[in-house]
Amino acid sequence: MTLMTSWVPSANSAETPFPLNNLPYGVFSVGHAPARCGVAIGDMILDLTEAETKGLVSLPETAFDAPSWNKLMAMGPDVWADLRAQLTALLSEGGDTSAPLIAQADAQMHLPFQVAEYTDFYAGKHHAMNVGTMFRGPENALPPNWLHIPIGYNGRASSVVVSGTDVVRPNGQTKAPDADMPSFGPSKRLDIELEMGAIVGTGSELGQPISVAQADEMIFGYVLLNDWSARDIQAWEYQPLGPFQAKAFATSISPWIVTPAALEPFRTSTPEREKDLLPYLQEPSPMLFDIALDVTMAPEGKPATTIAQTNYNRMYYSAAQQLAHHASSGCAMSTGDLLGSGTISGPEKSERGSLLELTWGGKEPLTLDTGEVRTFIEDGDTLTLKGAAKGDGYQIGFGEVVGTIKPAVTFPK
Amino acid sequence: MTLMTSWVPSANSAETPFPLNNLPYGVFSVGHAPARCGVAIGDMILDLTEAETKGLVSLPETAFDAPSWNKLMAMGPDVWADLRAQLTALLSEGGDTSAPLIAQADAQMHLPFQVAEYTDFYAGKHHAMNVGTMFRGPENALPPNWLHIPIGYNGRASSVVVSGTDVVRPNGQTKAPDADMPSFGPSKRLDIELEMGAIVGTGSELGQPISVAQADEMIFGYVLLNDWSARDIQAWEYQPLGPFQAKAFATSISPWIVTPAALEPFRTSTPEREKDLLPYLQEPSPMLFDIALDVTMAPEGKPATTIAQTNYNRMYYSAAQQLAHHASSGCAMSTGDLLGSGTISGPEKSERGSLLELTWGGKEPLTLDTGEVRTFIEDGDTLTLKGAAKGDGYQIGFGEVVGTIKPAVTFPK
């Protein structure tokens, strides 16, 4: 696969994240006009609500009359393929240049879909080993189930926000190891988690498990995801039933949903198994993707420093495996469910996808290029995730996930 | 408070769960007609969609044009009080006897509201002590955070079903202590959890914590709740991030939402604290309720045996405390969020709200009145929860939560 050319000039570049090969889906607004569905092409957005009204795009039923992709998502893979074919024809060289385009620079982006439920996994082995080593020592780093189950927990859909949304530092209960009693106040160990998010397009019925192959076909697309985490709140609350308020204040996602069709040339297998998976979790074909990822950190008013660089292909479990496991008990999966991959870290220190790992629990502070020293995130800091699959003379970009930390609020009396 | 009399004769009895004092809210259908909102009165249902159309009930805007209570729930406490006053007047002796009534015997009940997100707590101390003693010994039964935090985890809203829905035995990964590898198949330790569910009526904003008093006012009503659990799946999966597939196959709720207004005479304080709560969790007034609860078990084709009897007043934390904690990090709470209380058990063995406790992990089998012996639930068994607040010559009943277990499905290849 090489760069496909478009009549939109800015799409024909090796540098744009959004060439014709990509066609990622988002929701945007301009000024005070209502939000609507769009597809990114170069530095422009094709207004799909308008394109559908004009008949430039035509599906079995109206898909773009609401500011969310859920309706199209529920229509299933055949309609997804049909839409992509129509968009490719429309935006290719020789396509209809009357298609309604808006400059991305003029648009505000919104959550691209209504999040039904949000699940976060713990499926990166390097991350699990790092965290496990810190908390339980290298001998007991991986929990006994880890090589058999893509460990996950249910998160909070109401906390999912689009890139650019400020993140308010959470309050919570924490307890110092030597304290008699816990105390309540702003988190002092605020962190990121570099993740990919998989979005369920077509759902499954309660009581009806699905295979890994079926799961792969149900995934509508992928986003970058930052699962903001308050490590001190998490440490005190998470036993015995898992993370709760430590991860309920914000999870940021990229505004553009990149489809499996765009990522097809970048499919790769999960790594070799250390222990055979049970048959219901085995991958019938490559279901992970080669996507370069990086994280930057910028103190208020200062330039950003790259603090981590890794790749989605580091994961031990693919999103399809996670989704099949999620439905294995008969749990119904719904259009709009969001599955976080779990923190993505690689074997090198520079590949660690959280500050917890990068600063080894705060013991090894980072010095930024601008001279500031950080263990965890301070008020005013801006954290940015970026990701792109790199092809031959083109890339499939995800855009950015940006978030700036605002001070904690005073608690109501 | 004594029995309030209605022109609906069946409502004027000490035995009916649904006297005029109660007025619980549900969604019903008759035959193939579309489902609609209704309120139970004696053995009848007032058709609220029809009553609104006829002008017998009038609110600031139309509330009952969809088969769910979410729209009314989002309108807030003043509208809730207004509706209750109108319904009380309409159904009192002397009210308008042209109000459209349907026999409950002719109606099929549906989920009364769209569940936004589902959270389950672990806030019953007797339950936590029993389970902790079994798993960690009596010295370490309560986790260190338990007396300070209403411990909870996010559950799966897509698994919430209305009473009467069959429950398919889940498949899942389990591992015998002496086995090298886990295996996959039907759960062998299928259990109930006797709980109450609190339903969030009005939501809160992301980044904006709420007080316990605010939380109490946000609660639209309560249901009975059975959080079906697969103990063998749970034991293998739950470390380190909590229950996942073990509790994702079904959570059954009663079809009728009982309002705080109906339960007002039964308010009671949570028990004396063993350790002072942090200020953000302190109860400014009684926010728990005196509600008698019982559980029966019936093998296929056999009569039921009562296996547990306890009371909601056994809880250590109220739903308002749980809700305030849930929002403490700034987590946005939404109309339709469902909060499970956690398993309700009392100090006596007969008050244990799960088979795990009743049979002490399967070591002390139960013998039913019909002679069958049970450790956990077998295919064909029917489990029923019942609950009622008992007043002076009347009761505020919740109806039943009934579920029958069907055999596990074969997993897709």
Side-chain angles (χ1 to χ4, degrees):
Chain A
M1 177 76 72
T2 54
L3 181 71
M4 295 163 66
T5 54
S6 167
W7 56 262
V8 181
S10 59
N12 300 324
S13 137
E15 279 71 51
T16 181
F18 308 127
L20 185 57
N21 308 57
N22 193 346
L23 300 177
Y25 300 143
V27 168
F28 71 100
S29 64
V30 178
H32 296 290
R36 44 181 59 192
C37 291
V39 56
I41 180 76
D43 57 12
M44 308 298 282
I45 302 170
L46 171 68
D47 179 339
L48 271 170
T49 305
E50 180 76 5
E52 187 172 58
T53 305
K54 284 189 171 181
L56 292 169
V57 164
S58 171
L59 295 170
E61 52 182 316
T62 307
F64 303 115
D65 51 352
S68 112
W69 280 80
N70 295 58
K71 200 167 167 185
L72 190 279
M73 285 156 60
M75 291 179 186
D78 290 348
V79 177
W80 307 345
D82 179 12
L83 174 65
R84 185 171 172 86
Q86 291 185 45
L87 293 174
T88 302
L90 181 63
L91 295 168
S92 289
E93 268 188 300
D96 187 339
T97 58
S98 76
L101 296 182
I102 286 92
Q104 285 175 30
D106 295 338
Q108 182 178 352
M109 300 305 297
H110 303 268
L111 267 187
F113 66 107
Q114 285 187 293
V115 183
E117 299 193 59
Y118 167 48
T119 307
D120 195 29
F121 285 84
Y122 184 62
K125 186 161 170 241
H126 301 285
H127 171 72
M129 285 294 295
N130 286 335
V131 173
T133 301
M134 265 181 266
F135 293 158
R136 291 179 295 271
E139 304 301 309
N140 301 305
L142 275 193
N145 52 17
W146 201 95
L147 294 171
H148 303 284
I149 299 180
I151 297 290
Y153 65 98
N154 299 295
R156 184 73 195 175
S158 68
S159 70
V160 179
V161 296
V162 73
S163 173
T165 307
D166 288 338
V167 173
V168 178
R169 181 181 296 272
N171 288 294
Q173 270 199 39
T174 57
K175 184 176 164 297
D178 55 349
D180 275 349
M181 284 278 293
S183 60
F184 187 87
S187 168
K188 295 185 179 76
R189 289 164 73 93
L190 186 57
D191 200 356
I192 56 160
E193 292 196 335
L194 167 63
E195 303 193 21
M196 298 290 302
I199 300 161
V200 175
T202 49
S204 66
E205 296 296 313
L206 190 67
Q208 292 297 332
I210 55 174
S211 68
V212 175
Q214 286 170 328
D216 192 56
E217 289 178 2
M218 288 163 59
I219 295 173
F220 179 68
Y222 292 84
V223 288
L224 291 177
L225 185 151
N226 182 353
D227 192 50
W228 303 91
S229 299
R231 300 298 180 194
D232 43 359
I233 299 172
Q234 186 176 354
W236 173 232
E237 78 175 357
Y238 93 108
Q239 286 287 7
L241 298 186
F244 187 51
Q245 292 305 287
K247 291 173 173 269
F249 56 97
T251 295
S252 303
I253 63 171
S254 57
W256 297 108
I257 304 171
V258 176
T259 62
L263 293 169
E264 197 59 36
F266 306 96
R267 277 190 184 264
T268 183
S269 293
T270 49
E272 201 181 340
R273 300 292 104 178
E274 297 182 31
K275 295 194 179 177
D276 285 344
L277 289 176
L278 288 165
Y280 85 102
L281 280 176
Q282 289 173 10
E283 217 178 23
S285 60
M287 290 181 179
L288 201 56
F289 298 95
D290 179 347
I291 299 170
L293 302 166
D294 70 66
V295 184
T296 68
M297 186 173 201
E300 196 165 4
K302 297 282 180 75
T305 298
T306 297
I307 60 172
Q309 290 187 295
T310 187
N311 195 299
Y312 183 43
N313 66 19
R314 298 298 196 190
M315 301 306 292
Y316 196 76
Y317 295 98
S318 67
Q321 288 172 312
Q322 293 171 335
L323 179 52
H325 179 68
H326 207 323
S328 62
S329 67
C331 179
M333 303 305 299
S334 309
T335 296
D337 283 343
L338 174 64
L339 275 54
S341 59
T343 307
I344 306 167
S345 295
E348 304 301 322
K349 184 163 178 181
S350 61
E351 288 186 77
R352 293 174 180 172
S354 68
L355 287 163
L356 179 69
E357 294 165 85
L358 286 164
T359 70
W360 209 251
K363 290 181 188 152
E364 302 173 14
L366 284 180
T367 301
L368 304 180
D369 296 347
T370 45
E372 287 82 359
V373 175
R374 288 287 184 276
T375 48
F376 291 95
I377 307 173
E378 299 193 4
D379 289 350
D381 288 351
T382 296
L383 279 291
T384 303
L385 317 186
K386 288 180 203 155
K390 306 286 176 69
D392 178 12
Y394 76 100
Q395 50 183 313
I396 302 294
F398 284 75
E400 296 181 341
V401 181
V402 184
T404 299
I405 301 299
K406 299 295 173 190
V409 299
T410 305
F411 209 78
K413 297 289 176 197
Chain B
M1 177 77 70
T2 53
L3 181 71
M4 295 163 65
T5 52
S6 168
W7 55 261
V8 180
S10 58
N12 300 327
S13 136
E15 279 72 49
T16 179
F18 308 126
L20 185 59
N21 308 56
N22 193 347
L23 299 177
Y25 301 143
V27 168
F28 72 99
S29 64
V30 177
H32 296 290
R36 42 181 59 192
C37 291
V39 55
I41 180 76
D43 57 12
M44 307 298 282
I45 302 170
L46 172 67
D47 178 341
L48 272 170
T49 305
E50 180 77 6
E52 187 172 57
T53 304
K54 282 189 170 178
L56 293 170
V57 164
S58 171
L59 296 170
E61 51 181 316
T62 308
F64 303 115
D65 51 353
S68 112
W69 280 80
N70 294 59
K71 200 167 168 184
L72 189 278
M73 285 156 60
M75 292 178 185
D78 291 348
V79 177
W80 308 343
D82 179 12
L83 173 64
R84 184 171 173 87
Q86 292 185 44
L87 292 174
T88 303
L90 181 63
L91 295 168
S92 287
E93 269 189 299
D96 186 339
T97 58
S98 76
L101 295 183
I102 286 91
Q104 286 174 32
D106 295 337
Q108 181 178 353
M109 300 306 295
H110 303 267
L111 267 186
F113 66 107
Q114 283 187 293
V115 184
E117 300 193 57
Y118 167 49
T119 307
D120 195 30
F121 285 85
Y122 184 61
K125 186 158 169 247
H126 301 285
H127 171 71
M129 286 294 294
N130 285 336
V131 172
T133 301
M134 263 181 266
F135 294 161
R136 292 179 294 271
E139 303 301 311
N140 300 303
L142 275 193
N145 51 17
W146 201 95
L147 293 171
H148 304 285
I149 299 180
I151 297 289
Y153 65 97
N154 299 296
R156 184 75 196 175
S158 67
S159 70
V160 178
V161 297
V162 72
S163 172
T165 306
D166 288 338
V167 173
V168 178
R169 180 181 297 273
N171 288 293
Q173 270 199 39
T174 57
K175 185 176 162 298
D178 55 349
D180 275 348
M181 286 278 294
S183 60
F184 187 87
S187 168
K188 295 186 180 76
R189 289 164 73 94
L190 187 58
D191 200 355
I192 56 160
E193 291 196 336
L194 168 63
E195 303 193 22
M196 297 290 301
I199 299 161
V200 175
T202 50
S204 65
E205 295 296 313
L206 189 67
Q208 292 297 332
I210 54 174
S211 68
V212 176
Q214 286 170 327
D216 192 56
E217 289 179 2
M218 288 163 60
I219 295 172
F220 179 68
Y222 293 84
V223 287
L224 291 177
L225 184 149
N226 182 353
D227 191 49
W228 302 91
S229 299
R231 301 297 180 194
D232 42 0
I233 299 173
Q234 186 175 356
W236 174 231
E237 76 173 1
Y238 93 107
Q239 286 289 6
L241 298 186
F244 187 51
Q245 291 306 286
K247 290 172 173 270
F249 56 97
T251 296
S252 303
I253 64 171
S254 57
W256 296 109
I257 303 171
V258 176
T259 63
L263 292 169
E264 199 57 38
F266 306 97
R267 277 189 184 265
T268 182
S269 293
T270 49
E272 201 182 341
R273 300 291 106 179
E274 297 183 30
K275 295 195 178 177
D276 285 344
L277 288 176
L278 288 166
Y280 84 101
L281 280 176
Q282 288 172 12
E283 215 177 25
S285 60
M287 291 181 179
L288 200 58
F289 297 95
D290 178 347
I291 300 169
L293 302 167
D294 70 66
V295 183
T296 67
M297 187 173 201
E300 195 165 4
K302 298 282 180 74
T305 300
T306 298
I307 59 172
Q309 290 188 295
T310 186
N311 194 299
Y312 183 44
N313 67 17
R314 298 298 196 187
M315 300 306 293
Y316 195 77
Y317 295 99
S318 67
Q321 289 173 311
Q322 293 172 333
L323 179 53
H325 179 68
H326 208 324
S328 62
S329 67
C331 180
M333 303 306 299
S334 310
T335 297
D337 283 343
L338 174 64
L339 274 55
S341 60
T343 307
I344 306 166
S345 294
E348 303 302 322
K349 184 163 178 181
S350 61
E351 288 186 77
R352 295 176 180 171
S354 68
L355 287 164
L356 179 70
E357 295 164 86
L358 286 164
T359 70
W360 208 251
K363 289 180 188 152
E364 301 173 15
L366 284 180
T367 301
L368 304 181
D369 296 346
T370 44
E372 286 83 358
V373 175
R374 288 287 184 276
T375 49
F376 292 94
I377 307 173
E378 300 192 4
D379 290 349
D381 286 351
T382 296
L383 279 293
T384 303
L385 317 185
K386 289 179 205 158
K390 306 286 175 69
D392 179 14
Y394 75 103
Q395 50 183 315
I396 303 294
F398 284 75
E400 295 181 339
V401 180
V402 184
T404 300
I405 301 299
K406 299 296 172 186
V409 297
T410 304
F411 208 76
K413 295 292 176 193

